[in-house]
Amino acid sequence: MILVTGGAGFIGSNFVLDWLESGDEPVLNLDALTYAGNLRNLESLRGDARHVFVHGDICDRALLARLFAEHRPRAVVHFAAESHVDRSIHGPGAFVRTNVEGTFALLEAARAHWNTLEGEAKAAFRFHHVSTDEVYGSLGPADAPFSETHPYQPNSPYSASKAASDHLVRAWHHTYGLPVVTSNCSNNYGPYHFPEKLIPLVIVNALAGRPLPIYGDGLNVRDWLYVRDHCSAVRAVLGCGRPGETYNIGGWNEKTNIEIVRTICALLDELRPDPAGSHARLITFVTDRPGHDRRYAIDARKIERELGWRPAETFDSGIRKTVQWYLENAAWVAEVQSGAYRDWVATNYDARREAAR
Ligand code: NAD
Ligand code: TYD
């Protein structure tokens, strides 16, 4: 079996569903169920013996030792993290704890387990660390996209904590020989995305007739990838990636934030017209994010060359599927906008002033 951490979060739950749709190897899913973890995402696996869920923290060393000893996973796929830049600005401590200390604890537990293995099992073991393109910092408009050798220049507490975890993973390979692979992926979107990130936030706010907050001038650029394409890339890297290597994963899909928001509004105008007028009327420019990275773009040629991976979705097909998923899953959307979610919205948006434009 494989051990997946953070498998109740956005990408992790998509990965677990994707994994069990593509094969029968069981998944041991370790997740602390923070505000971002949601077992509803995995409801379709209820009663499926191939999925074993453990409610626990990756910082809990005793738990990790017990899980490795009992289940003897052949690989770890490490998604668990604090993942939202704005939350990292308001409270960086949780990011250092989970992303740095948690990754350290997991590496140590994996190393202890790997040291008990021999021969083929030892050589075949993998620790796949799932990371982000944000570790590379921000690009200028004419800069080449991030390659795997781009210098690390993290700018937010989130990206700094992920960069730190990438460095630990690299060192555990170099020093101890642990067979690790790291993937650095661009912005994901798709089903089960918690509505604190741009795309799901805009969809749920537009459906509720609430303002669509655009930070700064709306011209920051992200490279968007449909989440199931990220899942297939992780499977490719886990299966055939070379130990010690990193692979950048991206959608060749650079878009400004304002383009993204206008596209979502146009889709909602088509699929769920609002008698009050186009959803674009709700667009509201607000105070920028401190230290806001201007542009991310991924050069995904290495994973294509070495592993034959390319995204299956275009942005047009992926965003249409995503909007449709939110329209069809109103109960999920209602449930995640609980009291704690409303507290976050107040923390992040109440102090932001509407910018005159
Ligand atoms: P998410 O915030 O939706 O999910 C994180 C999951 O980790 C949640 O289920 C949460 O309960 C769990 N978790 C948090 N702290 C934990 C702890 N201490 N112990 C155990 N579980 C814990 O995040 P996501 O968007 O699914 O991202 C998953 C991974 O992919 C992260 O490592 C992130 O850095 C990386 N990534 C995300 C994106 C993106 O666009 N979302 C892009 C590139 C890389
Ligand atoms: P986000 O989805 O938080 O991902 P990340 O910061 O990790 O790239 O944000 C994507 C872009 O959208 C980023 O440039 C910030 C911007 N943004 C807004 O303009 N308004 C919002 O309310 C949010 C959450 C993000």
Side-chain angles (χ1 to χ4, degrees), residues 26-352:
V27 171
L28 176 64
N29 182 354
L30 172 63
D31 195 296
L33 297 180
T34 68
Y35 79 92
N38 187 350
L39 283 179
R40 262 205 177 228
N41 304 1
L42 300 163
E43 220 161 51
S44 61
L45 297 176
R46 189 175 293 190
D48 188 328
R50 299 171 307 163
H51 177 236
V52 179
F53 182 78
V54 178
H55 183 194
D57 193 319
I58 56 164
C59 298
D60 181 344
R61 287 172 169 248
L63 173 65
L64 291 177
R66 184 168 66 69
L67 291 178
F68 275 101
E70 268 177 27
H71 297 276
R72 307 191 63 73
R74 68 156 182 100
V76 175
V77 186
H78 177 32
F79 292 98
E82 289 291 337
S83 69
H84 187 33
V85 173
D86 292 320
R87 284 188 192 253
S88 82
I89 295 168
H90 287 278
F95 288 72
V96 173
R97 181 181 179 278
T98 287
N99 301 359
V100 186
E101 292 171 26
T103 301
F104 168 53
L106 192 62
L107 280 167
E108 281 295 77
R111 182 164 76 93
H113 166 67
W114 177 69
N115 278 330
T116 69
L117 303 176
E118 281 172 6
E120 181 48 31
K122 187 164 193 172
F125 184 81
R126 288 291 179 276
F127 184 104
H128 184 144
H129 179 55
V130 178
S131 192
T132 166
D133 60 356
E134 303 192 25
V135 299
Y136 298 124
S138 187
L139 292 169
D143 290 344
F146 300 130
S147 73
E148 286 78 2
T149 54
H150 195 93
Y152 270 47
Q153 290 172 333
N155 292 318
S156 73
Y158 164 64
S159 55
S161 66
K162 290 297 290 187
S165 67
D166 292 9
H167 292 325
L168 291 176
V169 170
R170 177 191 158 88
W172 260 240
H173 174 70
H174 195 82
T175 301
Y176 304 113
L178 187 69
V180 308
V181 281
T182 294
S183 53
N184 294 85
C185 188
S186 61
N187 287 57
N188 286 213
Y189 66 97
Y192 306 114
H193 205 181
F194 191 76
E196 62 184 357
K197 308 276 173 71
L198 180 69
I199 287 181
L201 179 98
V202 164
I203 298 171
V204 306
N205 278 14
L207 288 174
R210 291 192 295 259
L212 312 180
I214 313 269
Y215 298 165
D217 62 6
L219 297 179
N220 300 68
V221 172
R222 300 291 183 264
D223 176 354
W224 294 93
L225 181 69
Y226 189 67
V227 62
R228 285 291 183 119
D229 278 327
H230 187 187
C231 296
S232 70
V234 169
R235 271 195 281 117
V237 172
L238 182 66
C240 300
R242 287 179 291 133
E245 291 292 315
T246 67
Y247 295 86
N248 283 356
I249 305 170
W252 301 104
N253 243 321
E254 286 186 59
K255 304 265 182 221
T256 61
N257 294 337
I258 190 70
E259 273 181 278
I260 296 286
V261 175
R262 290 199 183 283
T263 301
I264 294 169
C265 289
L267 276 169
L268 287 173
D269 289 347
E270 175 196 327
L271 299 170
R272 183 69 59 88
D274 183 343
S278 169
H279 293 89
R281 76 187 189 285
L282 300 168
I283 290 174
T284 309
F285 288 87
V286 299
T287 313
D288 208 354
R289 170 189 281 173
H292 195 175
D293 283 339
R294 193 65 174 167
R295 172 175 169 238
Y296 304 141
I298 280 277
D299 177 344
R301 283 179 297 179
K302 178 176 173 182
I303 186 172
E304 177 165 5
R305 195 173 57 243
E306 292 195 10
L307 308 179
W309 177 88
R310 261 190 85 81
E313 299 288 345
T314 63
F315 187 70
D316 285 350
S317 64
I319 194 69
R320 182 172 283 274
K321 279 188 185 175
T322 304
V323 169
Q324 266 161 347
W325 186 88
Y326 280 84
L327 290 174
E328 286 159 13
N329 288 274
W332 184 94
V333 170
E335 195 182 275
V336 298
Q337 297 182 76
S338 65
Y341 177 74
R342 285 197 294 274
D343 292 346
W344 163 250
V345 169
T347 303
N348 193 44
Y349 295 97
D350 281 2
R352 281 199 149 85

